[in-house]
Structures are given as structure tokens and as C-alpha cells.
Amino acid sequence: MTPIQRDIVDAIPRLRRLASSLCRDRSGADDLVQDTVERALARWQQFAGGNLRAWLATIMLNLFRNQR
């Protein structure tokens, strides 16, 4: 596992809090976190550096909007 991949996994608690505020239901939040981590791990090479939390939050918000 690369350092960026490890950092993505380490960010899961923060992602859960954001997902909970967006979904307002635990099951939906868990699904959103899973989808976000899956997408981030699949595309971690596209991360250009900078703020990892902002990149992950952007992925999550885009997934949330697309699901709605």
C-alpha cells in the first residue's frame, strides 16, 4: 500500500462524519463512504498533491450529487 493509499484509508473517520451530515441516515452514509474510498483508491494516481481532505470531500460531494 502506498502512502497516499494509506492516507485515504486513514481519512475514513472524517469521511464518515461528512457523509452522515449529507445523508442523515447511517446506511446511506456508509454506502457513500464506501463509494468515495473505492473511487479514491482506484484513481489515487490522479491526485495532484495538495489537500487530500479537500480532494476526498470533492469526490464525496460529487458522488452525493450524482446519486440525488
Side-chain angles (χ1 to χ4, degrees), residues 1 3 7-8 10-11 16 18 25 27 30-31 39 66-67:
M1 188 178 288
D7 290 343
I8 291 168
D10 290 344
R16 278 201 175 114
L18 177 57
D25 106 44
S27 177
D30 287 344
D31 289 344
R39 179 157 301 176
N66 288 342
Q67 292 171 359

Side-chain angles (χ1 to χ4, degrees), residues 1 4-13 15 37 41 52 56:
M1 188 178 288
I4 185 85
Q5 290 171 322
R6 194 171 306 115
D7 290 343
I8 291 168
V9 171
D10 290 344
I12 289 174
L15 291 173
V37 171
L41 288 173
L52 179 65
L56 292 170

Side-chain angles (χ1 to χ4, degrees), residues 20-46:
S20 292
S21 70
L22 291 170
C23 295
R24 307 217 186 259
D25 106 44
R26 186 176 182 159
S27 177
D30 287 344
D31 289 344
L32 184 58
V33 169
Q34 181 176 345
D35 292 345
T36 300
V37 171
E38 181 181 329
R39 179 157 301 176
L41 288 173
R43 299 179 182 173
W44 65 269
Q45 300 92 343
Q46 295 176 3

